[in-house]
Amino acid sequence: MRTATALGLVIALAACGGTPAAQTPGAQQAKTVTIAVSSDEGTLTPFTNESGYPGDNLVKLVFDTLLIQKGDKAEPLLATALETTDNKVFRLPLRTGVTWQDGKPFTAADAVFSVEFFKKNMSGDSSIDVRSVESVTADGDTLTITLDSPDPEFPMRVLTDLSMLPKHLWESVTKVNEAGVDKAVGTGPFKLTGYEKERGYTFTANSGYFGGKPKVDTIKVNVIPQETTQFAALRTGEVSLSVRNVPPQQSNALKQQPNLAIAEGTEFASTMLQFNTTRAPFDKAEVRRAIAKAIDVQDLVKTALLGQGTVGDPGFVHPQAPVKGAPQPPVFDVAAAKSELDALGAKPGPDGVRVLDGKPMSYELLVQSTSTDRLRSAELIRDMLKNVGVAVKISSLDPDSLDAKVWPEYDVKKGRNYDLTMWGWSAPIMQTSSDIVRLFASDPEDGTLNIGGFENAAVDKTIAELKATTTMEERAVATGKLQKQVAEQMPFVTLYYRNGAYAYRKDTYSGWVWQNGLGILHKGSFVG
């Protein structure tokens, strides 16, 4: 199930790839491809992108990693193999003859520096937890990474994500969150050659890329905040790809448009109703469960997504994700929701809104203004909760304003200021159980994605058990136990997982390759 399951593991060199995004004929090479994104992604270094998707996807066009995700496995990239006998000590022979985009050679010293630098600088939306690295050394062209304890998910969790940094450019950087575009220099297939803040980027093919000449000469990235404007630009040919998931309401119309196609596949990105568990009454699991039972997630998929999605599992994990456990039973039961609220002493007031502990059960629900399905889902949830005596006021905010309340500066230690929010995590969160635990661990050093401030001693104990496992088989058991506890504690309601659907112009470029967890915006769509 993962690269480091068996002892004596050796991964042979393999090319990056996946499933072709579409069977329709079209251009397999292009001079210029223009991509529409919804917001500025900073200076596109591994520490300054603003989002996991599409920000980190763009970063990885410039920067390479030691391994690369292919399907649900980790394959060599800057390393030529991965060897381990105990899932604690990993040996990685490195490619020779690779150069940075400024012409200087990539060396084992750069690899050692990169791992140590990330360990000292866990910062930003896409921070990587490398605290388990006990030492990193180089012997000639072979890198050895030793962990403080065995971790069978380390190759997928860290080595496919940790970008290699040129030591000669980064050793003088002291404030990683302020790194400029001059530091956006990697070994990847594209060079970042232009950046206009709030407007977009220009990438130019790296003709000397070790993985082969890219199939596209120039990638232009335009910042277009509004969903409707992005799809209008697709229709006119102003852009070649929108990174926004196509709303089900627009899917058929776009498919009928000449020269347009939609790449579709399984995605693990989640949409949740997130509770602020540090604020009453959401600090009580009984209240959270009662509210969850009032929400018909099947109706959300049917109405908000027009059936183009998968109903959320109460244990959070997508039923097809690599780390899925046993599916947890659905919780929707309006009668039970009412009964449980009654049992809590939440009696309806004169206006029909229940009163709990002397306070009306009336709450603000924050929603990202640029997300059509989340706005519609919020409206449906508001009506569902009204049926059980809970009032919801929807507040639509731009993405930055919402993040500032829910996840200020991408640091859970800085607190939170909300009652409820529509939220979601991008697909890579479900690639490893080590990533999933970041949503639930009470220690902010471990629960770096615990935006609800959730705390539970039993869950923390299971997380500790999970981290102590040395094989994937043991880890799968612990992961299943954790998912059952999540379903019981309900720190958030997992509503659904949207199907992946990305519209592009096949007359401009149709070489897109689908990769679960990444969609079609990744190296494999441009190289190979």
Side-chain angles (χ1 to χ4, degrees), residues 209-261:
Y209 186 55
F210 64 83
K213 185 178 183 298
K215 295 180 286 186
V216 172
D217 294 338
T218 302
I219 299 174
K220 291 186 176 296
V221 178
N222 294 346
V223 176
I224 304 176
Q226 296 303 318
E227 180 179 273
T228 54
T229 308
Q230 282 197 22
F231 294 128
L234 263 176
R235 291 185 176 94
T236 62
E238 178 185 343
V239 301
S240 316
L241 168 73
S242 168
V243 300
R244 295 191 69 102
N245 216 319
V246 175
Q249 297 84 349
Q250 298 194 39
S251 180
N252 287 335
L254 287 171
K255 288 178 179 178
Q256 294 171 9
Q257 179 82 17
N259 294 317
L260 284 187

Side-chain angles (χ1 to χ4, degrees), residues 367-386:
V367 189
Q368 190 179 82
S369 59
T370 56
S371 177
T372 302
D373 67 283
R374 290 186 190 175
L375 285 166
R376 180 62 180 130
S377 295
E379 294 170 348
L380 294 168
I381 290 170
R382 176 194 59 198
D383 296 342
M384 292 171 184
L385 295 185
K386 183 179 179 181

Side-chain angles (χ1 to χ4, degrees), residues 481-497:
K481 180 180 177 181
L482 175 63
Q483 291 172 38
K484 184 177 180 180
Q485 290 175 322
V486 169
E488 293 169 349
Q489 289 295 316
M490 206 67 69
F492 47 72
V493 185
T494 306
L495 303 172
Y496 52 76
Y497 323 96

Side-chain angles (χ1 to χ4, degrees), residues 12 104 126 285 298 322 345 353 461:
K104 296 185 182 300
S126 301
Q298 288 189 338
V353 176
K461 182 180 178 182

Side-chain angles (χ1 to χ4, degrees), residues 15 41 108 141 190 246 251 305 308 314 326 369-370 389 410 438-439 468 479:
E41 288 289 349
D141 294 322
F190 289 92
V246 175
S251 180
L305 301 185
Q308 302 301 303
S369 59
T370 56
Y410 308 118
R438 297 164 66 194
L439 277 67
T479 301

